[in-house]
Amino acid sequence: MKSWLPMLVLLFSPAALAAPGIDALTMTTGQGGEQTYTLSIQVLLVMTALSMLPAALILMTSFTRIVIVLSILRQALGTAQTPSNQILVGLALFLTFFIMSPVLSEIYDTALAPYLEDKITANEALDAARRPLREFMLAQTRDDDLALFARISGQEHFEHETDVPFTLLMPAFATSELKTAFQIGFLLFIPFLVIDLVVASVLMSMGMMMLSPLIISLPFKIMLFVLVDGWALVLGTLATSFYV
C-alpha cells in the first residue's frame, strides 16, 4: 500500500505544498546589522495539517463505522474489556486501510505522484485528490443527511455532486456513518440479547435469583459466536458494506 500520510497532507495543506522545499526559518538583516529570524508560515500550515490527520482519519474514512460496530459487539458479548480498546482500534485501523486502499491508490496515481514529478501544480493535485475521496463519501452519505446540512447552511441546490463543498459533506458523511453503525450494532445485539433473556428466564424458573445470568450466558454467547465464525462474518460484512 502506498504511503497515506503525504496524501492527507496534500488534501489539507495546499499552501504548504506550493513549493518543492519549505524553509523553516527566514533570517532578515536590518540596516543596523541586526538579524531577525522569522518562522515560515508554511511550517505552521504543515504542523496544523498533521494535527488534523487523526480527525480526518476518523471522520472522512470508514473508521467511524468499524470501531463503533466492534465496540457494540464487545458489549453485546459481555466480555468487558476483551478484546481491549487497543486491539479494537488497531483492528479498525487496518480494516480502514484495506477498505480505503482503492481510494488512496487513486489519489496517489492521479494527484500525489504527478505532483512529486512536477507534472501538475499543487492546486491541480489538490483538485485531483479530492475527487475519489468525494466519490467515496457521497456514496456512503444519505440524501436526507446531506439535505439537512445543506438546508442549515442555506445551500440547498446543487447542480452536480462536485458542487457539494467539503464543509457540508463531512458532517453529513459522519452523521450517516453513525446511523449505519448503530443499525448494524442493533442487528448484532439481538441474538445475544435473546440468549440473555432465555438464561435469565431459566434461572428465574429454577429459583436461582442470586446467580447472575451474565455468568451463565457468557460461555453460550462465546460458543455461538465461535461456531458461526463471527469475526469473519462481522469484518467481512463491514468491508463489503462500503461497496455494495
Side-chain angles (χ1 to χ4, degrees):
M1 183 184 299
K2 302 177 180 68
S3 177
W4 55 271
L5 182 59
M7 302 175 191
L8 294 179
V9 173
L10 175 65
L11 289 176
F12 290 101
S13 183
L17 296 174
I22 299 177
D23 297 327
L25 292 174
T26 301
M27 184 183 69
T28 304
T29 303
Q31 296 179 352
E34 69 276 5
Q35 294 179 343
T36 303
Y37 294 89
T38 305
L39 182 65
S40 173
I41 189 66
Q42 292 181 341
V43 175
L44 297 178
L45 290 175
V46 170
M47 297 304 297
T48 302
L50 292 176
S51 66
M52 293 174 61
L53 289 181
L57 176 63
I58 292 174
L59 295 179
M60 299 180 65
T61 64
S62 58
F63 182 84
T64 301
R65 182 188 305 185
I66 297 170
V67 75
I68 290 177
V69 170
L70 293 180
S71 299
I72 294 177
L73 174 62
R74 183 179 64 180
Q75 187 174 0
L77 283 170
T79 54
Q81 295 299 316
T82 305
S84 64
N85 292 331
Q86 291 85 350
I87 294 177
L88 291 185
V89 171
L91 184 60
L93 186 63
F94 283 103
L95 188 58
T96 297
F97 289 154
F98 172 77
I99 294 171
M100 299 297 297
S101 59
V103 177
L104 297 179
S105 297
E106 185 175 354
I107 292 175
Y108 182 88
D109 295 333
T110 60
L112 185 59
Y115 173 78
L116 295 178
E117 296 172 0
D118 294 330
K119 294 181 179 179
I120 58 177
T121 64
N123 289 333
E124 292 174 342
L126 179 64
D127 292 337
R130 284 178 174 177
R131 291 192 204 105
L133 187 59
R134 183 193 299 274
E135 292 174 359
F136 172 82
M137 295 174 68
L138 282 173
Q140 306 302 323
T141 304
R142 290 178 170 84
D143 293 337
D144 54 347
D145 293 327
L146 195 60
L148 170 64
F149 288 96
R151 185 170 62 254
I152 294 174
S153 63
Q155 309 174 52
E156 299 188 37
H157 302 288
F158 299 102
E159 295 183 2
H160 304 285
E161 292 182 348
T162 55
D163 297 333
V164 180
F166 263 91
T167 55
L168 190 152
L169 180 58
M170 287 180 62
F173 172 76
T175 304
S176 295
E177 287 296 283
L178 289 173
K179 289 182 180 179
T180 304
F182 277 92
Q183 289 175 354
I184 298 175
F186 171 76
L187 296 177
L188 288 175
F189 219 108
I190 291 178
F192 301 110
L193 180 61
V194 171
I195 293 177
D196 287 333
L197 291 175
V198 171
V199 171
S201 299
V202 172
L203 291 179
M204 288 288 291
S205 63
M206 296 175 61
M208 304 176 65
M209 301 180 183
M210 301 301 295
L211 182 61
S212 175
L214 295 177
I215 299 177
I216 306 300
S217 63
L218 179 59
F220 289 100
K221 291 190 288 186
I222 294 178
M223 180 182 65
L224 173 65
F225 192 69
V226 172
L227 289 177
V228 300
D229 197 9
W231 286 113
L233 286 175
V234 172
L235 297 180
T237 301
L238 283 172
T240 55
S241 66
F242 288 93
Y243 294 101
V244 175

